[in-house]
Amino acid sequence: MPDSLDELNARLLRFARERDWEQFHSPKNLAMALAGEAGELLEHFQWLTESQSAELDEDKKRQVAHELADILNYLVRLAERLDIDLIAAAEEKMAINERRYPAEKVRGDARRASEYPD
Amino acid sequence: MPDSLDELNARLLRFARERDWEQFHSPKNLAMALAGEAGELLEHFQWLTESQSAELDEDKKRQVAHELADILNYLVRLAERLDIDLIAAAEEKMAINERRYPAEKVRGDARRASEYPD
Amino acid sequence: MPDSLDELNARLLRFARERDWEQFHSPKNLAMALAGEAGELLEHFQWLTESQSAELDEDKKRQVAHELADILNYLVRLAERLDIDLIAAAEEKMAINERRYPAEKVRGDARRASEYPD
Amino acid sequence: MPDSLDELNARLLRFARERDWEQFHSPKNLAMALAGEAGELLEHFQWLTESQSAELDEDKKRQVAHELADILNYLVRLAERLDIDLIAAAEEKMAINERRYPAEKVRGDARRASEYPD
């Protein structure tokens, strides 16, 4: 059974090829497009309080869902171009984070990563 | 069989709970963290040409894989907090894009989305 | 008397030329570098509450000042490459905003710009 | 004679106060707004080649000028809220960069800052 990210990747690749858009999809350009979408995501939240940000109405929630979709789509495209297995990378990074931030040491303390002493 | 994103979501949720970090994970804050990681991704590519960006050496590729992992992890956390189904949103957005950019009309032309006449 | 931004521009241009770095300073690349620095700025604030963000200690404030400096420096470089007068552009944009958001109409209401009816 | 950034700051402050928008202008929120604008800037350049990015037509150039204006405006607001002198910070950062990247050592080599050995 194919994984949902694999299916999404196949659909995105077909979409790009049918439009002859692979020529624009260098990793550099895709990274820019992804960061552009992350900027749009921010704009939805910038004037909300943290608690307002957790209680979006249906219309706003649908807009945010589409921003998340755009980010995921560029992320999957970028991973495809660079031949990176996204899920494997995420699992590897989680293993690093689990070692780096031991629960008993960092509980309730969320500093910037660079501020933790190694 | 659980989907890989579901498994990742469960692991991320457990990670946050064990550290009492859910208190920091408002959608607003997670959107900032995601955009911060997108900024780090850009830094890997900003001085490379497009073709250099497609030919990363192994060390650089592993660093980029970790940035993609960070982005995916915040994306999954954000979707969990907002009760958004990432894959469903991505499929919905693809259906919109397939209608919005008909292959025969946009072939080889990748303007900014806002520049296409509706 | 030269304006401070003009002086900064001259210093940045000399810095780039002495290092033969103008070759890397295409507008595209400078836009990426600027957005990368904006991402670093976010990382300082992402886990802080809004009120904590207004009460930085001296060390953190100095770090944030350097991020703002990086952003300003890339902004000035980008304006130089595109032959854009930053101050004139900012004044022009302020005039647009003053017309677009009449004080009596938007007082105390800070929605996303795109959400205001025209 | 007042400096142009000082005048811009005064105009921005008046704009925010007349609309009772200072309440939304926490440093955290302003950092998000700035990064959101940096994302919009990226979108203008993401599918252009580096050389195309240096040859914008007048219409596109005016749009980009407005994005730069938005970024400058949020930068000035943020500096005001944090009581940071932007020009002094930029000069201080330039002095650091001039020491950190000696011309004779880095000429023609623009790696990511973190990749230079200290």
Side-chain angles (χ1 to χ4, degrees):
Chain A
M1 196 178 84
D3 190 86
S4 53
L5 282 185
D6 293 330
E7 287 176 17
L8 184 59
N9 180 49
R11 185 171 181 177
L12 286 161
L13 198 53
R14 195 170 59 240
F15 179 86
R17 285 185 176 155
E18 286 173 356
R19 283 154 190 78
D20 197 16
W21 281 2
E22 277 200 294
Q23 60 180 309
F24 303 112
H25 288 186
S26 64
K28 180 183 180 96
N29 289 4
L30 290 167
M32 293 179 80
L34 191 160
E37 298 297 340
E40 291 190 24
L41 179 68
L42 286 177
E43 293 180 2
H44 286 283
F45 292 116
Q46 66 199 15
W47 308 130
L48 303 185
T49 63
E50 288 187 56
S51 49
Q52 287 170 338
S53 80
E55 293 161 1
L56 305 180
D57 64 34
E58 279 308 301
D59 182 48
K60 186 89 163 174
K61 186 175 147 181
R62 192 154 181 278
Q63 291 175 44
V64 169
H66 284 180
E67 307 292 6
L68 300 190
D70 288 331
I71 294 169
L72 181 60
N73 287 343
Y74 283 123
L75 195 61
V76 169
R77 282 299 291 134
L78 192 44
E80 190 271 335
R81 290 313 298 256
L82 291 169
D83 198 21
I84 286 170
D85 180 329
L86 267 184
I87 293 291
E91 297 285 355
E92 186 177 315
K93 194 61 199 286
M94 280 307 295
I96 292 171
N97 286 344
E98 285 159 1
R99 283 195 305 274
R100 186 163 188 203
Y101 307 111
E104 67 279 6
K105 204 173 135 197
V106 303
R107 187 166 288 122
D109 172 17
R111 280 175 285 169
R112 205 184 179 204
S114 63
E115 290 166 300
Y116 284 103
D118 280 328
Chain B
M1 196 177 90
D3 190 270
S4 53
L5 282 184
D6 293 329
E7 287 177 18
L8 184 59
N9 180 49
R11 186 170 181 176
L12 286 161
L13 198 53
R14 196 170 59 240
F15 180 85
R17 286 185 175 155
E18 286 174 358
R19 283 154 190 80
D20 197 17
W21 282 1
E22 276 199 295
Q23 60 179 309
F24 303 112
H25 288 186
S26 64
K28 181 183 178 96
N29 289 3
L30 290 167
M32 293 178 81
L34 191 160
E37 297 297 338
E40 291 188 26
L41 178 67
L42 286 177
E43 293 180 0
H44 286 284
F45 292 116
Q46 66 198 15
W47 308 129
L48 302 185
T49 63
E50 289 187 55
S51 49
Q52 286 169 338
S53 80
E55 293 161 1
L56 305 181
D57 65 33
E58 279 310 301
D59 182 46
K60 186 90 163 172
K61 187 175 147 181
R62 194 156 178 278
Q63 291 175 44
V64 169
H66 284 180
E67 308 292 5
L68 299 190
D70 288 332
I71 293 169
L72 181 61
N73 287 343
Y74 283 123
L75 195 62
V76 169
R77 283 297 293 133
L78 192 44
E80 189 273 333
R81 291 313 300 256
L82 291 170
D83 197 22
I84 286 170
D85 181 328
L86 266 184
I87 293 292
E91 296 286 354
E92 186 178 317
K93 194 62 198 286
M94 281 307 294
I96 291 170
N97 286 344
E98 285 159 1
R99 283 194 305 274
R100 186 164 187 203
Y101 306 111
E104 67 280 6
K105 202 173 135 198
V106 304
R107 186 165 290 122
D109 173 16
R111 280 174 284 167
R112 205 185 177 204
S114 64
E115 289 165 299
Y116 283 104
D118 280 327
Chain C
M1 195 176 88
D3 191 270
S4 53
L5 282 184
D6 293 329
E7 286 177 18
L8 184 59
N9 180 49
R11 186 170 182 179
L12 286 160
L13 198 52
R14 196 169 58 240
F15 180 86
R17 285 185 176 155
E18 285 173 357
R19 282 154 189 80
D20 197 16
W21 281 1
E22 276 199 294
Q23 61 180 311
F24 303 112
H25 288 187
S26 64
K28 181 183 179 96
N29 288 4
L30 289 167
M32 293 178 80
L34 191 160
E37 297 298 339
E40 290 189 25
L41 178 67
L42 286 177
E43 294 180 1
H44 286 283
F45 292 116
Q46 65 199 15
W47 309 129
L48 302 186
T49 63
E50 289 187 57
S51 49
Q52 287 170 338
S53 81
E55 293 161 1
L56 306 180
D57 64 33
E58 279 310 301
D59 182 47
K60 186 90 164 174
K61 186 175 147 181
R62 194 155 179 279
Q63 290 175 44
V64 169
H66 284 179
E67 307 291 6
L68 299 189
D70 288 332
I71 293 169
L72 182 61
N73 288 343
Y74 283 124
L75 195 60
V76 169
R77 283 297 292 133
L78 191 44
E80 189 271 334
R81 292 312 300 254
L82 292 169
D83 198 21
I84 285 170
D85 181 328
L86 265 185
I87 293 292
E91 296 286 354
E92 187 178 316
K93 193 63 198 286
M94 281 306 295
I96 291 171
N97 286 344
E98 286 158 2
R99 282 194 305 275
R100 187 164 187 203
Y101 307 111
E104 65 280 7
K105 203 172 134 197
V106 304
R107 187 165 289 123
D109 172 17
R111 281 173 285 168
R112 204 185 179 203
S114 64
E115 289 165 303
Y116 284 104
D118 279 328
Chain D
M1 195 176 86
D3 191 87
S4 54
L5 281 184
D6 294 329
E7 286 177 18
L8 184 59
N9 180 48
R11 185 171 182 177
L12 286 161
L13 198 51
R14 197 170 57 240
F15 180 85
R17 286 185 176 157
E18 286 174 355
R19 284 155 188 78
D20 197 17
W21 282 1
E22 276 198 296
Q23 60 179 310
F24 303 112
H25 288 186
S26 64
K28 180 182 179 97
N29 289 3
L30 290 166
M32 293 178 81
L34 191 160
E37 298 297 340
E40 291 189 25
L41 179 68
L42 286 177
E43 294 180 0
H44 286 283
F45 293 115
Q46 65 199 15
W47 308 129
L48 302 185
T49 64
E50 289 187 56
S51 49
Q52 287 169 337
S53 80
E55 294 161 0
L56 305 181
D57 64 34
E58 278 311 299
D59 182 48
K60 185 91 164 172
K61 187 175 146 180
R62 194 157 179 276
Q63 291 174 43
V64 169
H66 284 181
E67 308 292 6
L68 300 189
D70 289 331
I71 294 169
L72 181 60
N73 287 343
Y74 283 123
L75 195 60
V76 169
R77 282 297 293 134
L78 191 45
E80 190 271 334
R81 291 312 300 256
L82 291 170
D83 198 22
I84 286 170
D85 181 329
L86 267 183
I87 293 292
E91 296 286 355
E92 186 178 316
K93 193 63 200 286
M94 281 306 294
I96 291 171
N97 286 344
E98 286 159 1
R99 283 195 305 273
R100 185 162 189 204
Y101 307 111
E104 65 281 5
K105 204 173 136 197
V106 303
R107 186 167 289 121
D109 171 16
R111 280 174 285 169
R112 205 184 178 203
S114 64
E115 290 165 297
Y116 284 103
D118 281 328

